[in-house]
Amino acid sequence: MEYIRVNSIEDPLFSKLHNLMKEVFPPEEVLEFDLWKEPLEDPGIRVFVAVQEDEVVGVTEYRYYPDWNIAMTDFTIVGKPGLSLGRFLATKRMEDLQSLAVEQGVELFGMFAEIYDPYRKTDHDFGGVKTMDPYVRREVLSHLGYRKLDLDYVHPSWENDGQAVEGLDLCFMPTDENTAELPAALIADFLTTYYSVLENKPEKWLSMIEALKRKETVALLPL
């Protein structure tokens, strides 16, 4: 199994990973093919594929923010069962992130992720790929150490139509398991930066950001 970075839409591997995304994720979660050009060329956005026998069988995209010493998992796709892909991708991703943190002279503080809550919203089949079932993914991420932030979370649709996407939790995996809360300003600043590429922000999202700005901290709860 190879762990290969993709940084151009001209890379043949990108077509394969984009097709895999469309097979697995709902439409509002998939950025159009041509709109990937700039993100892939951004050195802060890291897209890696798991390749076996010239086939893209897994994908992960994540970012490291040196100013905050945090990361964000954009998505992880396990395309086939029985290959230990989840562990392979999680291990390789953490090795890469820790090396980026070491370059800053620190240990990674932690990593954000948006996680579907299937107990609230049950209409995601994720292309029928059982390893991507929201119940399974939620438990796996819990085992990895993710905890949900104590807020009513929405995010802007990646279709950039101004709609709010609900049914998810914003979660955080702290490197120090004793971390019980995060500064609300950190969350607000991070989300504002992360979604700056989308012009059409839903009112629910804007209200959520304003509410965060009025808080000091946000608790980390069991997932």
Side-chain angles (χ1 to χ4, degrees):
M1 189 93 64
E2 294 180 275
Y3 190 66
I4 302 174
R5 188 173 184 183
V6 177
N7 51 24
S8 170
I9 62 174
E10 303 298 328
D11 188 328
L13 290 174
F14 177 69
S15 294
K16 294 180 179 181
L17 81 82
H18 196 257
N19 286 336
L20 185 58
M21 285 182 67
K22 290 190 294 183
E23 291 173 10
V24 171
F25 288 135
E28 67 271 15
E29 297 293 332
V30 182
L31 198 63
E32 293 179 23
F33 188 99
D34 290 340
L35 295 180
W36 277 88
K37 184 179 187 302
E38 289 187 13
L40 286 176
E41 294 172 355
D42 185 334
I45 299 176
R46 308 177 75 79
V47 180
F48 284 81
V49 292
V51 179
Q52 186 176 61
E53 297 178 354
D54 201 37
E55 181 182 0
V56 171
V57 292
V59 187
T60 184
E61 176 186 312
Y62 51 97
R63 312 174 194 214
Y64 176 65
Y65 297 85
D67 290 347
W68 298 315
N69 186 31
I70 60 165
M72 169 65 171
T73 304
D74 293 341
F75 62 84
T76 301
I77 297 176
V78 174
K80 284 190 173 183
L83 298 175
S84 294
L85 273 168
R87 179 171 179 79
F88 176 80
L89 292 171
T91 300
K92 291 292 186 182
R93 179 176 61 211
M94 186 55 69
E95 288 174 356
D96 184 42
L97 286 169
Q98 289 289 16
S99 70
L100 293 173
V102 167
E103 290 176 7
Q104 304 298 315
V106 293
E107 182 179 9
L108 182 70
F109 177 57
M111 182 160 33
F112 284 106
E114 294 171 336
I115 299 175
Y116 280 95
D117 183 354
Y119 300 98
R120 282 186 287 154
K121 192 170 182 179
T122 60
D123 60 347
H124 292 312
D125 63 7
F126 288 90
V129 180
K130 286 299 183 183
T131 49
M132 293 295 291
D133 183 287
Y135 290 98
V136 175
R137 295 170 70 209
R138 195 173 178 89
E139 286 305 306
V140 168
L141 291 166
S142 176
H143 284 304
L144 286 174
Y146 279 96
R147 284 177 270 170
K148 66 179 180 180
L149 288 157
D150 187 15
L151 76 162
D152 293 325
Y153 185 67
V154 298
H155 79 71
S157 168
W158 285 104
E159 292 181 304
N160 201 23
D161 55 7
Q163 297 299 308
V165 178
E166 302 182 75
L168 301 99
D169 290 311
L170 181 63
C171 299
F172 189 76
M173 179 180 65
T175 301
D176 182 353
E177 293 186 1
N178 294 316
T179 303
E181 60 187 19
L182 295 183
L186 169 64
I187 302 167
D189 289 346
F190 160 69
L191 290 173
T192 300
T193 299
Y194 185 70
Y195 283 109
S196 61
V197 68
L198 298 176
E199 296 179 0
N200 299 316
K201 305 291 198 309
E203 285 300 321
K204 284 187 176 181
W205 185 86
L206 294 171
S207 296
M208 179 187 72
I209 296 297
E210 288 304 313
L212 282 169
K213 290 179 179 178
R214 295 191 294 269
K215 293 183 177 182
E216 290 293 325
T217 61
V218 177
L220 289 168
L221 305 177
L223 182 61

